[in-house]
Amino acid sequence: MHKLMMGLARSMAIIGGMVLSLLIIMTCLSIIGRLLNGVFHGGVMQSIAPGFSDWMITWVGPINGDFELVEAGVAFAIFAFLPLCQISVGHAAVDVVANSFPRGVNRFLRMVTELLFAGVLVLIAWRLAAGTISKFGNGETSFLLEFPVWWAFGASLFGAIIAAILGIYMAAVRTMEFFTGRIQIWDGVEGEQ
């Protein structure tokens, strides 16, 4: 079961990484286009080669709607990375005092933390589903590209549902660990005492 869940989390992270990489490339191209557009609009290029400058202005410029695509893509990428962060215990932790606690107390704290994470992830997925349905129903579109806003909500919802499933799975694992006293998924937190 853990192998399946880890594969699902890694697949989501790979997809999120690809989306993020494409957004980075698009942003760089848009910035370069914006810069070149400014150069061709400048007085120097207009005086040196006005015909070429006017021709290039029609072809070179920022990517239309780049901010809208970045907004939607980054939202999806965040939700795509959450499952791997959840299953690999990649969340930030401050355990200054917890290291001095006995193993049983640390197992209890991990169980409670995973249960809270699972609850929050389910709540996020539930509210994101409601938002997706609302955006779908009202037909809202983005300003420049005019793509339906629910597409971005739906993509993020997919990642949020996977994160919620993994959150529930990890909560179940940590609960079993607490009640059995046996570590099933090593996270490096429990050391020798």
Side-chain angles (χ1 to χ4, degrees):
M1 180 71 155
H2 185 68
K3 198 175 206 178
L4 173 72
M5 292 294 183
M6 184 60 90
L8 183 61
R10 284 187 178 144
S11 298
M12 285 298 295
I14 288 169
I15 293 168
M18 290 188 309
V19 167
L20 205 53
S21 296
L22 289 173
L23 291 174
I24 289 168
I25 291 168
M26 181 202 61
T27 301
C28 290
L29 290 174
S30 186
I31 290 169
I32 291 168
R34 195 172 276 120
L35 176 71
L36 289 175
N37 193 288
V39 168
F40 290 126
H41 267 98
V44 175
M45 274 308 278
Q46 288 289 337
S47 64
I48 294 174
F52 177 73
S53 181
D54 291 338
W55 181 74
M56 284 302 288
I57 287 173
T58 60
W59 296 99
V60 176
I63 295 173
N64 189 32
D66 57 348
F67 290 102
E68 294 173 356
L69 293 172
V70 167
E71 182 181 24
V74 168
F76 168 75
I78 289 168
F79 284 107
F81 293 135
L82 265 177
L84 184 61
C85 190
Q86 186 67 26
I87 200 166
S88 64
V89 193
H91 298 291
V94 180
D95 51 2
V96 174
V97 180
N99 286 337
S100 62
F101 293 156
R103 287 182 182 172
V105 173
N106 279 328
R107 285 184 184 149
F108 176 76
L109 290 175
R110 279 200 313 258
M111 177 187 70
V112 169
T113 302
E114 291 291 349
L115 287 169
L116 287 173
F117 264 125
V120 167
L121 290 171
V122 167
L123 177 67
I124 289 171
W126 170 48
R127 296 314 306 155
L128 198 52
T132 303
I133 291 167
S134 172
K135 297 296 180 188
F136 179 78
N138 68 19
E140 184 178 343
T141 61
S142 65
F143 182 68
L144 292 174
L145 297 178
E146 296 183 354
F147 68 82
V149 174
W150 75 266
W151 289 356
F153 272 72
S156 298
L157 176 61
F158 179 71
I161 289 171
I162 301 295
I165 290 169
L166 279 235
I168 293 167
Y169 167 72
M170 287 305 295
V173 166
R174 296 300 179 213
T175 301
M176 281 194 294
E177 286 180 353
F178 174 71
F179 286 111
T180 63
R182 290 184 26 232
I183 293 181
Q184 296 180 358
I185 299 174
W186 179 255
D187 61 4
V189 173
E190 190 166 330
E192 296 296 321
Q193 291 183 348

